[in-house]
Each structure stands twice: as structure tokens, then as C-alpha cells.
Amino acid sequence: KGYGGKKGAVEKCPVCKGRGMQVTVQQIGPGMVQQIQTVCPECRGQGERINPKDRCDNCNGCKVVREKKIIEVHIEKGMQDGQKIVFHGEGDQEPDLEPGDVIIVLDQKDHGVFQRRGHDLITKMTIQLSEALCGFRKTIETLDNRVLIISSRPGEVIKHGDLKCIYNEGMPIYKSPMDKGSLIVQFLVQFPEHHWLPREKLRLLEALLPPREDVMVTDEMDQVDLQDVDPNEQTYRNSVGEAYEEDEEGPRTGVQCQTS
């Protein structure tokens, strides 16, 4: 019952006189002493002790015992990352003290397809250039194992990075599970590889696409060639350029020495 032994067996600790602390004086030099306060080893800071023969066999006079308890946690629909679930009075218990709480903090794992943003779900979908220009029909498998069929409207052009949404197909709203957020689809248009179409057929494709802009070319203009960017070479050039700038202007940062 939290007594630590037989009723009436608890007595004031004779070593610390019930204070739970001991004060010792130690000489550290001629005429110099040091006062040290430590926890009483006899009562372990409790200020009282129980005779060993009267102590409880289960707790050995500690008044509390450690036990394993299973707490069942119910995750409701729509709960957010970091949301807390509190179990009142399920924490550590001590005599004459109100027990504390056990607090469960939800840690939402990342998903391989969907990204959550509030009540909405975001997913990315890759489509071919022909699908972006001429239309498509795709399927999306939801988190509750349903399959949604989505399609573009005739004549609609999907650009790279465009966002479309499907209402009421996102995350359930907490405390209102019948209502849901939106499912947002970000489209990534995949362009064909180089020379995918024979050169003689390029004019047929160009005739179907919007006309390109004509540029007036004069003799004063310089004709240059476009090359693919090598990230390593570009980084090297930037580092060399920065080194030249430091040589001309001096170091940008460094230790400043004081002069007297």
C-alpha cells in the first residue's frame, strides 16, 4: 500500500535526522575548509528508513514496484503529424503524489507515392509529350486501395509542372471523417530522346504545332553553337573564377589582426 514495510515500521533516519541530506566538512588547506552536502546513503534522501526485517519483500522498502503495462493507442482518421494522445494518470506513481500522464506523440512516416500537406495529398505523375498534347487516361491507386481513373479534356494541353486536383480524395479531416481534402496531381512531361523522329518527318510535325518565332539575322550578329552543360566543368570554372577574384581584390573573409 505504499508504506514500504509493515505499518508503523517507518522511522526517522537517525543518520541525517530526517533531512535526507548529509553535510560533511573537509579541510582543503591551512585555515580553509569546504562544506559538502550529499544525499544520505542510509535513507537515500528519503529522510526515513525501515528496519530491514520489517521491509516489504516485493519492493524492498522502496514503496514502489516496476510493472509492465500494455496501453492500446487508437489512431483516429485525419490525425496530424506531431499530434498528442494523452493517457491521464498512467505515468509513474509515488506515495502521496498524483500520478503523471503518458503522452503519445504521433510521428508520421513518409510515403513512397503521396505527400501530405494538411488535409491534402500530393502526388507526381509522369506523362509522355504525346499525352500532354493529345490527351491521356491514367489510373491512381488511393491509400484505401481504390482505383481512380483520370483523363484530360479534348484539346487541353498539360504543361510540365501543371497542378490538377481531385476534390474529396485527400486525407480525412480529424473529427469529421466524412469530409476529406483534395488529391493534387503534379504532372511531369517526359520529352522524347534526341533524333526520335527522322529529319524528313520533322516538317510534318512542325506543320501541326504552333508556328515558331522568326528571328531577323544580320551580319553584325555572331553565330554560336549550343553545347550540353557538364556540371563538373562548370563547377571547375566557377571555382577558378572565384580564385581570380580573390587574387585581385584580396581575400573576402579571414582573420583580422589588431594593431597597437
Side-chain angles (χ1 to χ4, degrees), residues 30-224:
M32 301 177 61
V33 294
Q34 184 180 23
Q35 189 173 0
I36 302 175
Q37 181 174 290
T38 58
V39 177
C40 177
E42 179 68 21
C43 65
R44 298 180 181 178
Q46 299 296 319
E48 56 186 26
R49 71 172 187 176
I50 303 175
N51 194 303
K53 65 179 181 180
D54 296 329
R55 290 176 182 172
C56 172
D57 294 334
N58 291 332
C59 67
N60 196 26
C62 296
K63 302 181 181 180
V64 294
V65 292
R66 184 179 297 274
E67 70 172 6
K68 182 180 291 186
K69 187 175 183 180
I70 298 177
I71 298 178
E72 189 172 351
V73 183
H74 295 278
I75 309 299
E76 298 184 34
K77 291 183 177 181
M79 281 189 163
Q80 300 279 350
D81 180 40
Q83 190 168 343
K84 297 179 180 180
I85 302 175
V86 181
F87 294 89
H88 298 284
E90 294 292 346
D92 290 340
Q93 300 181 9
E94 293 185 21
D96 303 325
L97 292 178
E98 184 178 353
D101 301 332
V102 172
I103 302 177
I104 307 296
V105 181
L106 300 184
D107 186 10
Q108 181 178 281
K109 295 175 62 176
D110 293 334
H111 192 267
V113 177
F114 299 100
Q115 179 184 358
R116 183 178 183 181
R117 185 175 297 173
H119 302 312
D120 298 333
L121 287 175
I122 302 175
T123 184
K124 295 181 179 181
M125 177 176 290
T126 301
I127 60 176
Q128 300 296 326
L129 178 60
S130 58
E131 295 176 314
L133 296 175
C134 305
F136 65 86
R137 175 175 289 184
K138 296 283 189 179
T139 60
I140 299 177
E141 185 176 354
T142 63
L143 292 175
D144 54 357
N145 298 322
R146 293 182 298 114
V147 177
L148 306 178
I149 301 176
I150 62 173
S151 58
S152 59
R153 301 182 183 91
E156 181 182 13
V157 175
I158 304 296
K159 300 179 182 178
H160 183 78
D162 274 358
L163 299 175
K164 302 290 183 180
C165 71
I166 307 170
Y167 293 112
N168 206 37
E169 288 294 345
M171 288 294 296
I173 298 177
Y174 182 56
K175 296 298 184 182
S176 182
M178 299 304 295
D179 299 325
K180 296 181 180 180
S182 298
L183 173 58
I184 300 175
V185 182
Q186 182 182 23
F187 290 97
L188 306 178
V189 180
Q190 185 174 2
F191 284 77
E193 298 294 336
H194 295 302
H195 311 297
W196 66 279
L197 187 67
R199 297 186 62 179
E200 60 270 13
K201 294 185 178 181
L202 289 178
R203 291 192 176 276
L204 298 177
L205 177 62
E206 184 179 358
L208 299 175
L209 295 175
R212 54 183 169 183
E213 180 183 0
D214 290 333
V215 178
M216 182 67 67
V217 179
T218 63
D219 295 337
E220 288 79 12
M221 297 181 181
D222 295 331
Q223 183 74 30
V224 295

